Amino acid sequence: MHDPASKPPLAPSIQVSPDNPCPFLRGLVGEGFVDGGTVPLNTLSQTIANASGETGLKKTSARIQTRGVAMIANGFSHILKNWWSGAQLDALRGGPLDKLGAGSRILGVDGKVNEDEIARLASFGRTYNDPNTGMSEIGLNAAEIKTFMQENLKRAGSSARWYYPLLMKFEWPILLKIMGKGGKDKPEDRYLSVDDVRTLFNERSFPDRINQRIVSQPLLSTCALRFRWALGLTAGALALVLAVLVAVAEFPNQVRAMLPQKGILAQLLPPPLPTLPQTTAAYWLEQNWSLKDRHWFHHASQGTATFPVPYEWFMALEQPRLRLVSQPGMLKDSTYLERFGFIPSPKSINTDTATLRQFGYANVYETTQAGDWSSRWTPAENVDGLPVGFARMTGVVDPATGRREEDKIGLTCAACHTGHIQYQGIDVRFDGGPAMTDLKKLELVTGLSIAYTVYVPFRFDRFADRVLGREASKADRKALKQKLSATMDFLLDWQTRYNNTIEHKKTWDGRWQQDTEEGFGRLDALNRIGNQVFAQDLALSGVKGFEKNLHAQDAPVSYPAIWTVPWFKFAQYDASIEQPLIRNAGEALGVTALLNLSDAYPEKRLWTSSVDIRTLGWIEDMLRGPDPFRAPDPAKGPKFGGLLSPKWPSQILGDAWRIDQTKVENGRKIYAEMCSGCHLPAVDTPAFWSSGHWETSGDSKVLNAVTIPLKEIKTDPEQSLVLSKRIVDVPAFLKVNTSDLQKWWQCDIPTASTSPTEMVYALGLMTVVDLVAQKWMVDQEVPDAERAKLWNMARKNCLNPAPDPRYRARPLNGIWATAPYLHNGSVPSLYWLLKPQNERPQKFCMGRRDYDPVTVGFAVTADERCKTGETQFLMTGSDGRLIQGNSVLGHSFERKEGEPKRDGVIGRIFRDDNERYDLIEYLKTL
């Protein structure tokens, strides 16, 4: 019907439904260019695109727009019918594009034309010269059509709907675009002839120029259409893939945020990391360690292989970022690892002063350096410039087979117990404090880096070049890829096992288990150690079926400060571990030391591990220092040596950090009244050293710090319950007999389990770590005298005899450097810790943020939004329920005068903020 000769005569014209309110479509039907009723979308879109006179991409755009408008024109009830059968031209009345008389009103519901309304349309126009004939005629340009449509809306009044202005953009402006005249040089002069509109409405007839456009462009055949659609879909798919690649490469954080966070797609993208702030200066605070000792502590291997690949592989892995042009950075890059919260470290301490100062190692205080401890021990190197807490394990031996292995890479205790704060571009660093790292993100990124290396084109080739050299054979490259793929498969399989186990497991109080986000500055160390030793180590040893021992990471805590700890009788927040070697070796096992728990090898290899007990002993010596009760000058009284708590850095950070001595003296009195009963007097006072909490231990003393029952302190309960409530099962062939603790250590309370294989987590862990340490000493043929020193035999590997769960109140030396506060890191500053518990913030952000010297911690604003990469601490979830491990309550100062003592409240309410700030000022000096 596209040959003019084949068109039917106008009178009688082709019938058109009177319910069709669209004049242009009436014209298409009336002229016979499309059949009435149902018109295939291909036919309709091609015809209108031909009528538009556009070419190239603009014509394609017109065709796509037409299909879209036709799809929705009859309303949602016709969308599928439109798609499969074609546009329903006889059913437009009542659809989304019908303004039900609120528009121009030129065409009535009976299909008849209202000449008065055409005249009204002309009144909005002006005289134009027809570029084809040179004669003048009335028409409307785009601005005049806009005025016409606005007046139509005003006339409609309350009957107009909110979407009518949007619908009008598909009517008169489109008609102007298709049937307009002129404007070749000046688009603003293009106009719509009123005569053309009258003819279109009355006679359902197009101007000849429009007819010519249509008949001169035959519709494509079905075959051609299918080819064009296939070509278009292919191009669209390629464009979509390219757009996705660009988005993932350039905006990974934004893409990840748009995806369901627990979905597989989000897990394929690296977690967002905070931007690394510009550091203008860095300082390590003086803490009675030499610079050489600091560097040794930061990089001495404890025998851990935290990362699931050899050291050289880790050095060769790239960051899990997609790059379209350049190559991604290396995973090992210090500036990248610093975004996880780690502290940069020099390759060697034996370098020039400028380099040392760059890393904060220049001696700011110009004091006499303490003597080196570490010069007597095995040197610790950092030849690749990794951050603090990363160590290379050399001389690795497979504990099951005895075969020599490649060097491994692991984290040391310095990774979690080295702190720093930032203030206006200055980074202040100190040993023994809580780290501000996010190890969960580092785990995810390492796994993704391995997966990207296996699957992303060209990445494995670069990896193999770094590990094997460019001249490596295909066979060697294939073997390397198989090993890397096996590592990735194990990680994926293990994560699946973990998820499936946790999903179907309840806690001891009947709640379904689920992980609590640890975030920056927190880690569920106890549950992680249990998962490693009693589940993953068994799996790595080939012992199946013990993923049932897995437990959700639902009791995260702030990394505890470790200065002074060697002189405490009990370590951990819950005062659960007395034996220092068990504490330290257990930590090494938790960060993935190699351990053989398999019966497939000779029995003599059982309990063999890579844990370096001797290095753990050296670290303990450095932390502990000389016996404070055997001071060289008895007249000066006892004092701590070893690692001392950091002093408030007022001499570095300017006026905002200066101490107000008047406030200090006021605060000293408040401390004596409200704090010293639990936290004891300041460690530099005679009252501290004469305290009755010092107990004889061998030929010295240890501090049995105050512990407060959970039901009395009422802080978050989860960490205090992990060791006593969690149950683990062990293979029978391991012969883990917890009653042996009684035999080895003559414990004051029973240690036997009721089952030979099922036991309380605390007893199981104490026994396993004891067996590992004993095995190491036997294998290394350690002399008896050295064994006694390593064990510190006066300190027993026994349970705390306290009858119920409790938390330890440690002395507050260095408390300023341990924010956020409470054991679970749930209170952002000392100021908020001193407020009544129900007034404390229930959410705040952690990551790269400035320290606040006024509130001593992190300033929090109401409803603050976290910056990219920061993690948000939340007390309650979206459902309003308390998140496991995240209570901000307890340890509250809110008792009013005359009120009886009640659980969770440990002191009177402060009179005002001035009193709070007086105490805070004193706490800065401890």
Side-chain angles (χ1 to χ4, degrees):
M1 297 184 71
H2 302 289
D3 182 350
S6 68
K7 289 172 56 180
L10 185 62
S13 65
I14 295 175
Q15 293 299 309
V16 178
S17 168
D19 290 335
N20 186 335
C22 178
F24 185 73
L25 293 182
R26 288 170 61 84
L28 287 176
V29 174
E31 287 283 278
F33 288 112
V34 297
D35 294 329
T38 300
V39 180
L41 291 182
N42 279 332
T43 301
L44 186 64
S45 63
Q46 282 191 81
T47 303
I48 294 180
N50 291 343
S52 71
E54 301 286 11
T55 59
L57 291 177
K58 288 186 177 181
K59 185 175 182 179
T60 301
S61 176
R63 192 169 65 248
I64 294 172
Q65 290 180 52
T66 301
R67 293 180 70 91
V69 172
M71 282 285 291
I72 65 170
N74 303 126
F76 290 103
S77 61
H78 287 75
I79 282 183
L80 289 179
K81 189 174 182 181
N82 286 353
W83 178 261
W84 292 110
S85 304
Q88 312 296 303
L89 299 189
D90 289 345
L92 290 174
R93 179 66 69 185
L97 301 187
D98 179 9
K99 293 183 295 305
L100 304 175
S104 66
R105 301 183 185 176
I106 292 177
L107 188 66
V109 295
D110 58 357
K112 296 181 179 180
V113 175
N114 187 331
E115 286 292 338
D116 292 339
E117 292 298 335
I118 290 183
R120 179 174 175 272
L121 168 68
S123 71
F124 286 90
R126 57 189 171 91
T127 301
Y128 289 87
N129 287 326
D130 186 335
N132 299 315
T133 65
M135 301 178 63
S136 61
E137 62 178 339
I138 301 297
L140 292 83
N141 66 9
E144 291 157 351
I145 286 176
K146 184 177 181 181
T147 302
F148 170 64
M149 293 189 299
Q150 289 173 343
E151 289 300 318
N152 290 344
L153 286 174
K154 291 181 182 178
R155 181 176 63 173
S158 60
S159 64
R161 299 292 181 265
W162 63 269
Y163 54 87
Y164 283 0
L166 177 64
L167 297 182
M168 286 179 173
K169 293 181 180 180
F170 293 103
E171 296 180 326
W172 293 99
I174 298 299
L175 206 57
L176 171 66
K177 187 174 182 180
I178 293 176
M179 295 179 56
K181 298 178 180 180
K184 185 175 182 181
D185 297 323
K186 294 182 178 181
E188 65 272 12
D189 290 339
R190 185 175 179 84
Y191 71 95
L192 178 65
S193 168
V194 173
D195 285 340
D196 284 351
V197 171
R198 181 182 286 107
T199 301
L200 181 63
F201 274 91
N202 278 330
E203 302 177 15
R204 290 172 262 163
S205 176
F206 293 116
D208 288 340
R209 66 183 187 279
I210 304 299
N211 287 336
Q212 188 59 39
R213 288 178 191 169
I214 297 176
V215 300
S216 65
Q217 302 176 77
L219 298 182
L220 296 177
S221 67
T222 302
C223 182
L225 278 174
R226 288 175 179 173
F227 177 76
R228 188 171 69 179
W229 269 105
L231 193 63
L233 288 174
T234 301
L238 290 175
L240 179 62
V241 169
L242 181 60
V244 170
L245 287 175
V246 171
V248 170
E250 301 301 328
F251 311 102
N253 294 339
Q254 292 83 345
V255 172
R256 197 179 199 274
M258 295 167 59
L259 300 171
Q261 294 306 293
K262 292 187 178 180
I264 185 65
L265 293 179
Q267 302 308 311
L268 293 177
L269 295 176
L273 299 173
T275 301
L276 199 62
Q278 184 176 5
T279 300
T280 57
Y283 302 97
W284 282 96
L285 298 182
E286 199 279 324
Q287 293 176 263
N288 199 41
W289 274 1
S290 70
L291 301 187
K292 185 175 182 179
D293 285 347
R294 284 188 190 275
H295 198 251
W296 183 89
F297 173 70
H298 294 165
H299 301 289
S301 174
Q302 303 167 203
T304 59
T306 313
F307 299 92
V309 292
Y311 183 90
E312 294 295 346
W313 293 17
F314 185 86
M315 294 296 108
L317 288 172
E318 296 174 351
Q319 297 167 19
R321 286 287 304 270
L322 294 177
R323 296 290 187 188
L324 297 181
V325 180
S326 62
Q327 294 182 16
M330 302 303 295
L331 186 61
K332 67 172 183 177
D333 289 348
S334 181
T335 52
Y336 182 66
L337 294 174
E338 287 171 50
R339 297 178 66 186
F340 296 90
F342 292 100
I343 302 171
S345 181
K347 295 181 179 181
S348 172
I349 207 71
N350 299 314
T351 185
D352 58 275
T353 302
T355 301
L356 290 178
R357 189 171 295 280
Q358 176 187 346
F359 287 94
Y361 275 87
N363 190 359
V364 180
Y365 301 98
E366 297 181 356
T367 58
T368 301
Q369 283 288 296
D372 293 331
W373 288 72
S374 58
S375 59
R376 299 167 288 171
W377 306 329
T378 304
E381 297 179 344
N382 186 34
V383 295
D384 290 295
L386 295 170
V388 170
F390 285 74
R392 181 173 189 166
M393 178 169 55
T394 59
V396 181
V397 174
D398 185 321
T401 65
R403 184 176 56 246
R404 183 66 180 264
E405 295 276 334
E406 297 177 87
D407 290 358
K408 306 294 184 182
I409 178 170
L411 296 178
T412 75
C413 54
C416 300
H417 301 289
T418 308
H420 68 132
I421 60 170
Q422 294 167 311
Y423 181 74
Q424 297 183 355
I426 298 175
D427 204 75
V428 177
R429 302 161 182 174
F430 40 87
D431 285 303
M436 196 50 65
T437 55
D438 190 333
L439 293 187
K440 185 66 174 181
K441 283 188 176 181
L442 182 59
E443 290 173 350
L444 293 173
V445 161
T446 303
L448 281 174
S449 181
I450 294 171
Y452 278 32
T453 303
V454 172
Y455 288 116
V456 175
F458 313 116
R459 191 166 293 206
F460 176 78
D461 290 336
R462 297 195 297 266
F463 172 78
D465 286 345
R466 298 184 187 108
V467 173
L468 302 173
R470 292 182 179 274
E471 304 304 320
S473 67
K474 290 183 178 180
D476 288 342
R477 290 172 180 268
K478 182 178 180 181
L480 177 63
K481 191 166 189 177
Q482 288 176 340
K483 291 179 182 179
L484 189 65
S485 297
T487 299
M488 184 194 68
D489 291 342
F490 175 83
L491 294 176
L492 290 174
D493 177 66
W494 186 254
Q495 188 61 48
T496 301
R497 289 194 212 180
Y498 177 85
N499 293 339
N500 291 341
T501 302
I502 300 308
E503 184 180 353
H504 300 95
K505 196 172 183 180
K506 291 185 176 182
T507 61
W508 41 79
D509 57 358
R511 291 176 292 183
W512 289 106
Q513 292 188 20
Q514 60 179 359
D515 287 345
T516 297
E517 183 177 19
E518 296 163 318
F520 283 97
R522 299 203 308 166
L523 194 77
D524 185 359
L526 289 182
N527 274 322
R528 279 174 170 265
I529 292 172
N531 290 346
Q532 182 66 45
V533 174
F534 293 105
Q536 192 169 70
D537 280 341
L538 286 166
L540 289 168
S541 296
V543 182
K544 299 180 179 180
F546 287 87
E547 58 269 14
K548 62 185 178 183
N549 283 334
L550 289 167
H551 193 285
Q553 297 163 14
D554 59 6
V557 298
S558 176
Y559 299 106
I562 59 174
W563 50 73
T564 321
V565 166
W567 295 101
F568 295 166
K569 181 173 183 178
F570 290 103
Q572 307 293 0
Y573 286 114
D574 59 354
S576 57
I577 300 178
E578 178 181 356
Q579 228 298 318
L581 182 56
I582 296 299
R583 175 225 309 156
N584 296 336
E587 175 263 331
L589 288 175
V591 286
T592 322
L594 306 179
L595 175 63
N596 177 40
L597 298 177
S598 172
D599 61 349
Y601 298 92
E603 187 175 357
K604 66 178 182 179
R605 302 214 62 83
L606 203 59
W607 303 112
T608 301
S609 76
S610 64
V611 176
D612 193 331
I613 299 295
R614 188 170 280 117
T615 298
L616 293 176
W618 293 337
I619 292 173
E620 186 73 8
D621 287 345
M622 275 182 56
L623 290 169
R624 183 175 56 236
D627 190 333
F629 293 97
R630 297 179 181 178
D633 186 357
K636 293 183 179 180
K639 65 176 182 178
F640 288 122
L643 181 66
L644 301 181
S645 56
K647 296 297 183 184
W648 179 259
S650 56
Q651 69 275 43
I652 297 175
L653 297 173
D655 292 342
W657 291 72
R658 298 196 186 282
I659 298 289
D660 186 324
Q661 290 301 327
T662 301
K663 285 180 168 290
V664 169
E665 292 308 313
N666 293 336
R668 191 189 309 275
K669 298 172 185 176
I670 300 171
Y671 182 88
E673 173 198 351
M674 302 177 67
C675 307
S676 62
C678 293
H679 293 286
L680 305 184
V683 299
D684 59 355
T685 63
F688 173 78
W689 294 101
S690 61
S691 167
H693 286 276
W694 284 100
E695 297 180 359
T696 299
S697 177
D699 57 357
S700 187
K701 295 181 180 180
V702 291
L703 183 71
N704 193 357
V706 174
T707 59
I708 306 175
L710 174 63
K711 61 183 178 60
E712 181 180 332
I713 194 69
K714 281 289 185 180
T715 51
D716 191 277
E718 300 307 325
Q719 199 269 349
S720 68
L721 300 174
V722 171
L723 289 173
S724 61
K725 296 293 186 179
R726 183 175 174 179
I727 302 297
V728 295
D729 193 12
V730 296
F733 71 82
L734 288 178
K735 301 176 183 177
V736 177
N737 188 350
T738 60
S739 63
D740 285 341
L741 295 174
Q742 192 82 31
K743 177 177 64 178
W744 297 334
W745 297 98
Q746 292 75 54
C747 299
D748 297 329
I749 59 175
T751 62
S753 296
T754 56
S755 165
T757 60
E758 196 173 77
M759 57 201 68
V760 173
Y761 174 34
L763 290 172
L765 184 63
M766 291 162 65
T767 307
V768 165
V769 179
D770 211 318
L771 288 166
V772 170
Q774 291 181 49
K775 177 63 174 172
W776 185 90
M777 293 182 189
V778 170
D779 289 346
Q780 298 297 318
E781 299 179 350
V782 178
D784 290 345
E786 186 181 358
R787 290 192 193 193
K789 184 177 184 299
L790 288 170
W791 275 116
N792 190 353
M793 299 300 292
R795 308 288 294 278
K796 296 182 177 182
N797 185 20
C798 300
L799 292 171
N800 188 330
D804 46 25
R806 54 189 55 228
Y807 287 117
R808 183 194 63 194
R810 65 168 292 156
L812 297 184
N813 52 319
I815 185 66
W816 69 269
T818 63
Y821 295 98
L822 292 185
H823 74 276
N824 62 339
S826 61
V827 181
S829 67
L830 284 178
Y831 172 81
W832 287 111
L833 186 63
L834 301 180
K835 293 283 281 186
Q837 56 190 335
N838 290 322
E839 297 180 23
R840 294 169 183 164
Q842 295 189 11
K843 61 180 180 180
F844 56 90
C845 303
M846 290 301 297
R848 289 283 183 173
R849 57 183 304 175
D850 263 12
Y851 186 93
D852 180 13
V854 178
T855 62
V856 181
F858 301 98
V860 173
T861 57
D863 298 321
E864 65 180 10
R865 297 185 64 182
C866 297
K867 298 177 182 177
T868 297
E870 291 183 338
T871 53
Q872 186 176 54
F873 173 89
L874 291 170
M875 177 176 170
T876 55
S878 57
D879 58 0
R881 298 179 62 183
L882 179 69
I883 295 176
Q884 193 99 335
N886 279 9
S887 171
V888 308
L889 306 179
H891 194 280
S892 183
F893 297 92
E894 60 179 82
R895 190 169 62 247
K896 297 178 181 178
E897 187 174 355
E899 280 189 340
K901 182 178 180 181
R902 66 181 189 274
D903 292 341
V905 177
I906 63 168
R908 66 168 175 83
I909 193 169
F910 284 82
R911 299 183 183 92
D912 52 27
D913 273 354
N914 289 330
E915 195 176 30
R916 288 188 183 90
Y917 284 121
D918 285 345
L919 176 56
I920 289 172
E921 200 76 2
Y922 175 70
L923 293 174
K924 294 176 183 179
T925 68
L926 297 180

